[in-house]
Amino acid sequence: MEQDQRILARITEMVEDERKLRESLASGETDSSTEHQRLARLEVELDRCWDLLRQRRAKAEFGENPDDAQVRPSSQVEGYLE
């Protein structure tokens, strides 16, 4: 589960980056299309990390090797319906 902890740590970092970026955009400190693009990329990567973590947990729950989980393409992860 060490790998899961690393994924969670990365998620935590990205959530903090996302929060700071959103605050900066909301306060008007940052208002560039580059920053909006950065936020969009961050959101996609965050979704991919959550997806990988869910895959790992599901594999472990059903007796499979969690290390067999693979990072999926953003087109697949972003296509999920909530």
Side-chain angles (χ1 to χ4, degrees):
M1 292 300 179
E2 183 179 323
Q3 181 68 10
D4 289 358
Q5 293 304 317
R6 284 197 296 263
I7 295 168
L8 280 170
R10 180 66 182 128
I11 287 171
T12 300
E13 289 172 14
M14 286 190 292
V15 166
E16 182 61 19
D17 289 346
E18 181 184 34
R19 183 191 63 77
K20 287 177 183 175
L21 188 53
R22 285 187 186 284
E23 284 178 0
S24 177
L25 288 167
S27 70
E29 291 177 35
T30 305
D31 187 32
S32 72
S33 63
T34 302
E35 294 305 311
H36 286 284
Q37 290 172 0
R38 185 173 157 223
L39 180 59
R41 283 192 308 270
L42 185 60
E43 289 170 344
V44 169
E45 288 308 308
L46 193 52
D47 288 346
R48 292 176 77 201
C49 283
W50 278 117
D51 176 68
L52 178 60
L53 188 60
R54 283 190 295 270
Q55 285 182 65
R56 290 181 56 79
R57 288 176 174 171
K59 286 188 178 295
E61 181 179 342
F62 291 99
E64 297 177 31
N65 183 352
D67 292 334
D68 290 341
Q70 300 289 317
V71 175
R72 294 188 239 215
S74 59
S75 60
Q76 183 177 4
V77 173
E78 293 301 298
Y80 291 153
L81 299 176
E82 293 186 31

